[in-house]
Amino acid sequence: MMNPPETVYTDSHRVCCDGATDIRAGAALGHPRVWLEIDEKGFVECGYCDRRFVLKSGPADRQAA
């Protein structure tokens, strides 16, 4: 069984992801760093690792509450 993708809550509309934030060895085990922009939906998902970035107090954050 696969684990669900990680959800990260942020205060910024612009976020970066390298897939290695929680990996001790660092970016060598992640993916290329990408910059993502949260739109009117209130979230964005990384195309490499499926990590979801949710804008705090945004539309997606309110739906989860």
Side-chain angles (χ1 to χ4, degrees):
M1 184 168 174
M2 290 180 52
N3 292 334
E6 179 183 2
T7 300
V8 177
Y9 293 90
T10 181
D11 292 319
S12 176
H13 283 272
R14 187 167 164 87
V15 294
C16 74
C17 184
D18 62 9
T21 305
D22 298 327
I23 299 174
R24 285 188 181 164
L29 296 177
H31 59 70
R33 179 173 290 159
V34 292
W35 288 92
L36 308 164
E37 191 76 30
I38 297 175
D39 62 12
E40 67 277 349
K41 295 181 291 189
F43 73 92
V44 67
E45 293 177 347
C46 176
Y48 285 99
C49 65
D50 294 330
R51 184 177 287 167
R52 178 180 279 211
F53 295 89
V54 176
L55 185 63
K56 290 180 186 175
S57 300
D61 189 23
R62 285 186 231 124
Q63 289 175 359

